[in-house]
Amino acid sequence: MQRYEGYKFDLRQSLIGVQFLFVAFGALVLVPILTGLDANVALFTAGLGTLLFQLITRKNVPPIFLASSFAFIAPLQYGIEKWGIPVTMGGVIFAGFFYVALSLVVRFGGEKILHKILPPVVVGPVIMTIGLILAPNAVKMATSATQTYTQNVAMIVAATSLIATIFVMMLGRGMFRLIPILLGIIAGYIVAYCFGMVDFSAITSAPWFRVPSFSAPKFELEAIIYMIPIAIAPAIEHIGDMLAISNVTKEDFLKNPGLKNTLLGDGLATSLAAAFGGPPNTTYSEVTGAVSLTKAYNPAIMTFAAITAIVLAFVGKLGAVLSTIPAPVIGGIMLLLFGIIASVGMETLIKNRVDLADPRNMIIVALIFIFAIGGMVLDLGAVKFSGIGLGAVTGIVLNLLLPKTKHYEGY
């Protein structure tokens, strides 16, 4: 068994790094597939973001891999449809800067002030709204019919992906248990092929080498204001992941390099990804699970994983393969995944013992739900708040303004 001894360059561990990328691959490419971004760009920015994170935390690098964030799926879909990719990416860059602002809060005010601004009564419902808002998209993808296949066929394929993913999550052993999404996609893809839903022409015509479709950002205030509050959920997820990797390695990364540096690295990695037209980054719990399973704590392994991701980003055939995956294959997995996101928000409330019988908490949670999911729009002229962003802002403001109930002592 290895123990954490800091960053040690070891070429022999390169294969382990490739294995860790395999663990992250299914979730990594899922976000661009769902949002219309280039999956090869996502691979490139995941690798680049991980290397930047390691540079910023170089004094005591955690064995962390950064890749596409699920929390941004709905905002990216909305933004790309409304403003296009460049303007949406401009907003995501500022969402990354929100992490930077949080890192400064921690650096100068300590962790307690962060929990005061973003307590569980705010964070939990915001995470739940992300999953609930996405639910209709999952159903639409799972039941989508085309000229080549019916809705019933689509549902059979979606059910295959869903059941395979659940089966691996429940009964999988070892490394298999860490890649349920990837195995679910493979199972659904095979069934889709049997129904004649897969067209391989894109693969045969694609070149082996292709420069990813990078996209330069553009900046519009409305998109910036819309995207910034979305970063609340993955920022809190980041703290949870740092706690998890600290427990796995028996090394307190919250103190060294500290949240002030890990949040900074995560935020700048997100901004860097958006600058190339890639999805925002976040720390990957799947890879943390792989670290726990393999006891491979050397962060240099993540360097190899990152370099491999960058190299694969220039393989044109890979992007072509991903483009042939029928929508119901992904839709079946989304039925589970978006529900899990909502469940994580619920778990946040339960784990932190948030008393929903308390009137103050009840008001905050209720209004976050209604403002985020109900379709309300707050039009301030130059900018508009809606959806998850409006729900998050509502929760933060109410938490700061509403007095605590007299009989309630705190969180």
Side-chain angles (χ1 to χ4, degrees), residues 30-31 33-36 70-81 129-145 149 151 154-155 158 226 326-339 341 373 388:
L30 202 54
V31 176
I33 289 174
L34 288 171
T35 57
F70 286 154
F72 281 86
I73 293 175
L76 286 174
Q77 289 175 335
Y78 174 83
I80 290 171
E81 182 179 348
T129 60
I130 293 172
L132 295 173
I133 286 174
L134 288 168
N137 293 348
V139 174
K140 183 178 180 181
M141 290 186 70
T143 59
S144 60
Y149 57 87
Q151 186 179 75
M155 292 177 68
Y226 176 79
V329 174
I330 305 298
I333 295 171
M334 293 301 94
L335 293 172
L336 176 65
L337 187 60
F338 294 160
I341 294 174
I373 301 174
I388 301 165

Side-chain angles (χ1 to χ4, degrees), residues 4 53 56-62 103 106-107 110-112 238-239 241-247 249-263:
Y4 183 82
F53 178 85
I56 292 172
T57 60
R58 61 188 179 278
K59 291 183 179 180
N60 197 40
V61 183
S103 75
V106 173
R107 187 178 298 272
E111 294 179 27
K112 289 185 178 180
H238 170 95
I239 297 173
D241 285 338
M242 295 312 301
L243 281 168
I245 197 64
S246 295
N247 290 332
T249 60
K250 310 303 180 187
E251 180 79 9
D252 192 352
F253 293 114
L254 275 72
K255 289 186 177 180
N256 183 23
L259 278 178
K260 59 183 180 293
N261 290 316
T262 60
L263 277 170

Side-chain angles (χ1 to χ4, degrees), residues 2-71:
Q2 299 184 38
R3 63 184 181 87
Y4 183 82
E5 297 178 338
Y7 192 101
K8 290 188 174 183
F9 189 81
D10 186 349
L11 188 60
R12 293 173 300 176
Q13 299 195 57
S14 61
L15 288 179
I16 300 178
V18 175
Q19 177 179 258
F20 281 5
L21 177 61
F22 181 72
V23 170
F25 187 83
L28 193 165
V29 300
L30 202 54
V31 176
I33 289 174
L34 288 171
T35 57
L37 298 175
D38 189 305
N40 289 57
V41 173
L43 276 165
F44 179 83
T45 55
L48 201 62
T50 299
L51 295 178
L52 177 61
F53 178 85
Q54 291 189 334
L55 179 65
I56 292 172
T57 60
R58 61 188 179 278
K59 291 183 179 180
N60 197 40
V61 183
I64 288 288
F65 187 81
L66 275 64
S68 311
S69 172
F70 286 154

Side-chain angles (χ1 to χ4, degrees), residues 58-403:
R58 61 188 179 278
K59 291 183 179 180
N60 197 40
V61 183
I64 288 288
F65 187 81
L66 275 64
S68 311
S69 172
F70 286 154
F72 281 86
I73 293 175
L76 286 174
Q77 289 175 335
Y78 174 83
I80 290 171
E81 182 179 348
K82 183 171 184 178
W83 302 301
I85 291 178
V87 173
T88 301
M89 292 299 105
V92 173
I93 286 178
F94 277 82
F97 292 161
F98 178 80
Y99 284 80
V100 176
L102 289 181
S103 75
L104 293 175
V105 168
V106 173
R107 187 178 298 272
F108 296 110
E111 294 179 27
K112 289 185 178 180
I113 192 172
L114 187 62
H115 293 297
K116 184 177 181 180
I117 298 172
L118 298 172
V121 71
V122 173
V123 174
V126 169
I127 295 174
M128 291 174 71
T129 60
I130 293 172
L132 295 173
I133 286 174
L134 288 168
N137 293 348
V139 174
K140 183 178 180 181
M141 290 186 70
T143 59
S144 60
T146 68
Q147 294 180 344
T148 58
Y149 57 87
T150 65
Q151 186 179 75
N152 287 340
V153 170
M155 292 177 68
I156 291 172
V157 172
T160 302
S161 296
L162 175 62
I163 293 170
T165 304
I166 293 173
F167 181 83
V168 176
M169 289 178 66
M170 296 290 294
L171 303 176
R173 293 291 182 269
M175 291 298 295
F176 286 105
R177 192 170 187 174
L178 299 173
I179 52 173
I181 293 176
L182 185 59
L183 294 179
I185 291 175
I186 292 172
Y189 192 87
I190 292 172
V191 174
Y193 171 76
C194 294
F195 278 108
M197 297 166 62
V198 180
D199 182 4
F200 293 116
S201 59
I203 301 174
T204 56
S205 61
W208 279 104
F209 176 83
R210 180 180 73 88
V211 176
S213 301
F214 298 122
S215 176
K218 293 181 180 179
F219 301 100
E220 291 185 9
L221 185 59
E222 185 177 0
I224 292 170
I225 297 298
Y226 176 79
M227 282 294 174
I228 287 176
I230 311 302
I232 292 173
I236 299 301
E237 179 188 7
H238 170 95
I239 297 173
D241 285 338
M242 295 312 301
L243 281 168
I245 197 64
S246 295
N247 290 332
V248 167
T249 60
K250 310 303 180 187
E251 180 79 9
D252 192 352
F253 293 114
L254 275 72
K255 289 186 177 180
N256 183 23
L259 278 178
K260 59 183 180 293
N261 290 316
T262 60
L263 277 170
L264 176 64
D266 204 343
L268 291 179
T270 287
S271 297
L272 181 65
F276 284 92
N281 283 323
T282 190
T283 50
Y284 259 34
S285 301
E286 297 95 327
V287 176
T288 299
V291 170
S292 177
L293 182 68
T294 61
K295 312 299 181 188
Y297 302 145
N298 185 356
I301 293 171
M302 300 307 170
T303 304
F304 287 113
I307 293 172
T308 303
I310 292 172
V311 171
L312 289 177
F314 291 88
V315 179
K317 295 286 187 184
L318 178 59
V321 170
L322 296 175
S323 71
T324 65
I325 302 175
V329 174
I330 305 298
I333 295 171
M334 293 301 94
L335 293 172
L336 176 65
L337 187 60
F338 294 160
I340 289 177
I341 294 174
S343 299
V344 169
M346 189 184 303
E347 182 189 20
T348 301
L349 294 174
I350 296 171
K351 185 180 293 184
N352 291 278
R353 299 181 180 179
V354 176
D355 183 7
L356 291 181
D358 181 88
R360 180 180 184 275
N361 293 342
M362 192 182 300
I363 290 168
I364 293 173
V365 173
L367 292 182
I368 289 175
F369 281 152
I370 297 303
F371 284 13
I373 301 174
M376 183 173 291
V377 178
L378 178 60
D379 191 343
L380 301 179
V383 296
K384 295 180 181 179
F385 287 97
S386 62
I388 301 165
L390 179 58
V393 171
T394 299
I396 292 171
V397 171
L398 288 176
N399 177 66
L400 294 175
L401 295 182
L402 291 179

